[in-house]
Structure formats: structure tokens, C-alpha cells
């Protein structure tokens, strides 16, 4: 298989060390590329640093046009890109298509935000000592960005690194996940078709043991990282003077409140919980993991969830009707298997699923999970839901907050007062009412509290994180 080029300052190149990409479902070769050599990494970083001033002055229409171009080209190549995602990541083709559609939107939103990322003026004359002074505040890029991305959304989470950087005029060096570099490299190709200056974007696969060198490089003052909790926080601790944006993991919870009780309500909640506990085989940072049901609905709701989870078709992710594919590799599937085994040994009951087949793990629901079991206390990152009764909404909120993570929470209620209380009391980056915590619109602020991270993505929010204010004070008289 011909090696896919890597992108050094907008130019396609090859490294010397091969990187073979394996299809997680059948172990076939999904593609091949190369790791960037030390010399190529050096040129990518040097080019980003060299172009930083020019990038910060790029007119908004140039930044927006480049972003619109990528959005349009992804739309033209939609099916091809979806198949590439399925091949390198193993996610079902129907979900891969959703990811491409989302990435098209991510670039389009970024183009729109670039057009309106404008200075704000303040007339300072409200203060008697400041008459005749005007402050003009503009946001300026903090400098070249190092974007590090995970395997689970190999296209759209790379888009969430690149698009806001371009939107604010910051060069970016992207280091994709070693398991899934191909979609990121495709973005490198599409960006090379634009009028952006050459050093603006590089996409450089490098092995994990060489990533800390990139993180430490002083020419990349911003590190925007999406990935696991320990790696994220170790990066932040290793570069305390840098700006770090950390989008990390969680054990997202959904609470079904007593008022969510009609036939339609219960069917909706059960369908959404079954679907989003298992989509991408649970490999999403906001996949539903812990389900709490308040009051008397528990047995009914759990029975519905179990039926729906049992009906999810798993298997070959290239088949149109398969909704649950494999985990990313055998080690991941074996870890899920061992965590479920530990929980069962400690008293948990398997209501459905509970078996591993190679790299795949069956969609699984566990009840009576003892406190502290890894399947609920840690990020399972597999197709495993835990279900627990709670006596009240208050107890449900306490259960959601009883976690070292805090990405998003789902609260199934019709009661606006409960929704506002959830918003006040849940220690998470986002509360989703009437739905699962897995809801994400790419243009909304998104991120976590506690161990789940620091900083926000979502185009406008990310653009703020990649910039700082610079004030110009003018005398008007
Ligand atoms: P990971 O932490 O293993 O890897 C993420 C990236 O970090 C990869 O590119 C990897 O090569 C790189 N990396 C590894 N060691 C490094 C080091 N020492 N220095 C610098 N970079 C290093 O995560 P993963 O397994 O690819 O992704 C799954 C994790 O990502 C889960 O925890 C998931 O919850 C999280 N995630 C979070 C979000 C979010 O937006 N909050 C979204 C998706 C995934």
C-alpha cells in the first residue's frame, strides 16, 4: 500500500519510519504512512514559528475562505472520508458518516466565527477621570499551537484543533493519534489546497515517546490536548508556563427523574441511553456510562434499556445495519473484559452482554455495581452501562457529582425548575435536559471540570482559549 504523505508546512513528504494503520475489526491493513523524522518535526515547528506574525495579520476573509474550502471539500469527498474513518478507527460506517457531517459543520462554523471575531470598543467616559478616552480590545493569538488528538474521532476532533486556530490566525502543528493518523493527514491535504501561508498547518505523526519533546518546545506556547486523563494532566504539569487546553475523559451520567414517566418519555430515554451508551462501542468521552433512575420507574426503564441494548447489532463496522463495532484494539477489549469481571466478582449482575469476541465487546448492562468498581468509578471507554436506582432527584444529583470527572450530565425531566437546579448544582461542563450527556453540538462550548479537563472547545470558546486580549487606548479629544 502506498504510504499516505505527512504534511510539513503545507508540503507532502514522507518520513523514514513506517507507520502501518490496522483495521480494528479484522486486523487488515487500513493504510500506511510514516512517522515524521526529527528533522521534519523541526522544520514543521520552525515554519509555524516563522509564520506566526504573518498569520496573526491574515485578513478575516482569507482565514474564512480557507475554512470554507475545507468544509466544501469534505462534503465533496464525504463517503470516501467516512470509509477512511471506519477503516482506521473501526466505527460503524453510519457513525463515520455522522462524523464527516459534523466536521463539515466544524469548519463552516469556524469560518463564520472568523468573520465576526472582532474588536470591542468601550467608551471610558463613564468615569469622570477618563473623559475623552476610548478602549479598543482585540483578541490576539497566543502563538503557534500544538494540537494533540485522540483516536476516537480521528477527523472531527482534529477539526476542532485546526479550525479555531486558523480562525484566529494561529499556526498549528497537529500530532494525531498513532492508531488513526489517516483522517488527520487528509485534512492536511485539503488545507494545502488553500491560500494559507505554508507554515500555517503541519500534520506530523510522531510516536508517543517523542511527543513530550514537542510539548516542551518553547516555540509552541499553546498545547491543545484531547485524550486521556493521565496524559493530559501530565502534559499540563510538564509545561506550567504554557497555555494548556485539556479535553479529557469522564464517566458521564444520565438521571431519569420521576416526572419522565409517560410511555413516550420512557421509550425515548431508553432508546437514547441504549444508543449512546454503545455508540462507537462506548469510546466517546461523553458516552453514557452511569444511569440513575429516581423513584418507581427503575424496573420499567431498566427492562426497556436491556431490551434495546440486546437488540443493537454489533459486528463488521462496514455493514450498514451494524451500530456497534470493535474497540480500538485487543488491549482495550481485554481491559473492558477485566473491569466487568472485577465488578461481577464483587457482586454486580450482568443484565445483558458481558462477553468479548476478539477486539469486540458485547453491548452490556450491569446492575448492583458495588461502589468504587472501575466500571462506574473510572472511565470505562467501552460498551458498558451501569444502572442504579436512586430515591430522589437530590440523591440523583449527588450520585452524578460523586465522581472525579465532570464533562456533561443528562437529566431527563420536564420540570424547568429541576433543569435550572441541575445547571446550578451539577459539577460538569454541560447539562443536557431531556437527553443523554452524549449530546454535543460542535458550535457550543464544550469541556470538563475536575479531572475531565480545563478550557473549552466549540468554535468560539476555543478561539477565546487560543487568544488573549490586547487593549488599545485612544484619546478622542
Ligand atoms: P491518549 O491519551 O492515549 O492519547 C491522546 C493523544 O496523546 C494521542 O495523540 C497520543 O499519541 C498522545 N500522547 C500519548 N502520550 C503522550 C505524551 N506523553 N505526551 C504527549 N502526547 C501524548 O488518549 P486516546 O486513547 O487516544 O483517547 C481516548 C481518551 O480521550 C479518553 O480518555 C477520552 O475520554 C478522551 N477524549 C476526550 C474528549 C473530550 O473532548 N473531552 C474527546 C475525545 C476523547
Amino acid at each position: 500500500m502506498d504510504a499516505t504523505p505527512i504534511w510539513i508546512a503545507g508540503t507532502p513528504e514522507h518520513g523514514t519510519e513506517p507507520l502501518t494503520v490496522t483495521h480494528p475489526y479484522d486486523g487488515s491493513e487500513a493504510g500506511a504512512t510514516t512517522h515524521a523524522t526529527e528533522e521534519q518535526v523541526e522544520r514543521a515547528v520552525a515554519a509555524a514559528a516563522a509564520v506566526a506574525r504573518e498569520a496573526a495579520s491574515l485578513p478575516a476573509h482569507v482565514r474564512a475562505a480557507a475554512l470554507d474550502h475545507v468544509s466544501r471539500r469534505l462534503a465533496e469527498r464525504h463517503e470516501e472520508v467516512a470509509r477512511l474513518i471506519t477503516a482506521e478507527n473501526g466505527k460503524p460506517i453510519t457513525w463515520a458518516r455522522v462524523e464527516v457531517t459534523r466536521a463539515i459543520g466544524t469548519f463552516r462554523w469556524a469560518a463564520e466565527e472568523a468573520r465576526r471575531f472582532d474588536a470591542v470598543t468601550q467608551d471610558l467616559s463613564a468615569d469622570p477621570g477618563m473623559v475623552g478616552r476610548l478602549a479598543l480590545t482585540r483578541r490576539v493569538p497566543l502563538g503557534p499551537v500544538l494540537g494533540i488528538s485522540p483516536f476516537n474521532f480521528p477527523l472531527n476532533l482534529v477539526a476542532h484543533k485546526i479550525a479555531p486556530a486558523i480562525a484566529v490566525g494561529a499556526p498549528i502543528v497537529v500530532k494525531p493519534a498513532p492508531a488513526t493518523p489517516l483522517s488527520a493527514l487528509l485534512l492536511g491535504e485539503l488545507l494545502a489546497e488553500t491560500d494559507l501561508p505554508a507554515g500555517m498547518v503541519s500534520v506530523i505523526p510522531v510516536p508517543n515517546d517523542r511527543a513530550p519533546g514537542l510539548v516542551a518546545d518553547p516555540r509552541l506556547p499553546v498545547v491543545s490536548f484531547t485524550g486521556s486523563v493521565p496524559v493530559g494532566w501530565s502534559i499540563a504539569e510538564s509545561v506550567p508556563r504554557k497555555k494548556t487546553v485539556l479535553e479529557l475523559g469522564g464517566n458521564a451520567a444520565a438521571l431519569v427523574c420521576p416526572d419522565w414517566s409517560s410511555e413516550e418519555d420512557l421509550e425515548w430515554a431508553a432508546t437514547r441511553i441504549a444508543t449512546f451508551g454503545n455508540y462507537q462501542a462506548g469510546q466517546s468521552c461523553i458516552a453514557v456510562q452511569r444511569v440513575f433512575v429516581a423513584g418507581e420507574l427503575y424496573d420499567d426503564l431498566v427492562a426497556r434499556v436491556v431490551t434495546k441494548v440486546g437488540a443493537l447489532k454489533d459486528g463488521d463496522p462496514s455493514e450498514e445495519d451494524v451500530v456497534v463495532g470493535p474497540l480500538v484494539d485487543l488491549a482495550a477489549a481485554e481491559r473492558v473484559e477485566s473491569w466487568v469481571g472485577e465488578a461481577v466478582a464483587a457482586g454486580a449482575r450482568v443484565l445483558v452482554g458481558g462477553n468479548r469476541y476478539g477486539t469486540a465487546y458485547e453491548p452490556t448492562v450491569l446492575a448492583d455495581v458495588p461502589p468504587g468498581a472501575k466500571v462506574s468509578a473510572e472511565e470505562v471507554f467501552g460498551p458498558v452501562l451501569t444502572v442504579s436506582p436512586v430515591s430522589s432527584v437530590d440523591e440523583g444529583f449527588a450520585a452524578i457529582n460523586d465522581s472525579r470527572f465532570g464533562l456533561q450530565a443528562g437529566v431527563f425531566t420536564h420540570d424547568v425548575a429541576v433543569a435550572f437546579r441541575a445547571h446550578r448544582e451539577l459539577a460538569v461542563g454541560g447539562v443536557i435536559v431531556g437527553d443523554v450527556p452524549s449530546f454535543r453540538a460542535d458550535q457550543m462550548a464544550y469541556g470538563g471540570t475536575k479531572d475531565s479537563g480545563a478550557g473549552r472547545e466549540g468554535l468560539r470558546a476555543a478561539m477565546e482559549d487560543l487568544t488573549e486580549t490586547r487593549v488599545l487606548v485612544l484619546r478622542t479629544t
Side-chain angles (χ1 to χ4, degrees), residues 148-153 157 175-178 206 208 211-212 215 225-229 231 234-235 247-250 284-285 379 381 407 440 446 452 457:
I148 302 181
S149 56
F151 74 83
N152 62 335
F153 288 89
L157 289 182
K175 192 215 87 57
V206 300
N208 287 351
V215 169
F225 175 88
T226 303
S228 61
V229 171
V231 174
S234 73
I235 286 175
E247 301 288 344
L248 312 179
S284 160
C285 46
E379 177 179 46
F381 227 54
L407 270 180
R440 179 176 181 187
Y446 175 78
S452 292
E457 288 197 333

Side-chain angles (χ1 to χ4, degrees), residues 174-268:
V174 177
K175 192 215 87 57
T180 57
L182 301 176
S183 311
L185 292 170
L186 186 130
L187 287 179
E189 179 190 331
L190 301 185
L191 283 152
E193 297 170 356
T194 69
D195 293 332
L196 291 172
M200 193 81 181
V201 181
S202 291
V203 185
I204 51 167
V206 300
N208 287 351
D209 60 356
R210 283 208 271 126
L214 261 176
V215 169
D217 195 308
R219 292 168 295 179
L220 302 170
V222 184
V223 182
S224 176
F225 175 88
T226 303
S228 61
V229 171
V231 174
W233 288 109
S234 73
I235 286 175
E237 281 155 20
S238 75
V239 286
R241 299 288 294 270
K242 288 196 181 195
K243 174 71 178 275
T244 49
V245 179
L246 305 177
E247 301 288 344
L248 312 179
N251 59 354
L255 170 66
V256 183
C257 297
D259 70 303
W260 198 266
S261 57
S262 72
E263 175 64 23
E264 195 187 329
D265 288 346
L266 293 171
E267 274 299 288
W268 166 257

Side-chain angles (χ1 to χ4, degrees), residues 19-263:
L19 171 57
T20 303
V21 182
T22 305
H23 194 312
Y25 180 68
D26 58 15
S28 62
E29 187 176 323
T33 182
T34 50
H35 286 298
T37 64
E38 299 276 6
E39 186 271 334
Q40 286 169 321
V41 171
E42 170 54 33
R43 274 193 288 119
V45 176
V51 82
R53 275 184 64 181
E54 181 189 349
S57 306
L58 278 177
H61 76 89
V62 174
R63 289 177 270 131
L67 293 160
D68 275 335
H69 174 84
V70 177
S71 179
R72 218 172 21 248
R73 294 285 286 140
L74 283 173
E76 285 166 11
R77 296 175 66 175
H78 199 292
E79 184 65 16
E80 171 203 346
V81 183
R83 292 195 177 276
L84 185 66
I85 293 174
T86 294
E88 68 173 348
N89 167 281
K91 77 175 62 178
I93 184 66
T94 47
W95 283 115
R97 290 186 189 119
V98 172
E99 181 170 352
V100 181
T101 301
R102 286 182 59 187
I104 291 167
T106 299
F107 279 98
R108 196 187 57 236
W109 285 114
E112 293 184 12
E113 294 291 355
R115 289 188 179 97
R116 56 176 170 243
F117 199 58
D118 204 357
V120 194
T121 56
Q122 263 174 311
D123 177 354
L124 301 179
S125 69
D127 182 333
M130 301 286 171
V131 173
R133 304 272 182 161
L134 179 77
L136 182 150
T137 305
R138 196 181 277 291
R139 296 198 73 90
V140 296
L142 288 161
V145 179
L146 171 61
I148 302 181
S149 56
F151 74 83
N152 62 335
F153 288 89
L155 181 74
N156 195 37
L157 289 182
V158 180
H160 271 287
K161 301 295 173 216
I162 294 176
I166 292 174
V168 299
I172 180 162
V173 174
V174 177
K175 192 215 87 57
T180 57
L182 301 176
S183 311
L185 292 170
L186 186 130
L187 287 179
E189 179 190 331
L190 301 185
L191 283 152
E193 297 170 356
T194 69
D195 293 332
L196 291 172
M200 193 81 181
V201 181
S202 291
V203 185
I204 51 167
V206 300
N208 287 351
D209 60 356
R210 283 208 271 126
L214 261 176
V215 169
D217 195 308
R219 292 168 295 179
L220 302 170
V222 184
V223 182
S224 176
F225 175 88
T226 303
S228 61
V229 171
V231 174
W233 288 109
S234 73
I235 286 175
E237 281 155 20
S238 75
V239 286
R241 299 288 294 270
K242 288 196 181 195
K243 174 71 178 275
T244 49
V245 179
L246 305 177
E247 301 288 344
L248 312 179
N251 59 354
L255 170 66
V256 183
C257 297
D259 70 303
W260 198 266
S261 57
S262 72
E263 175 64 23

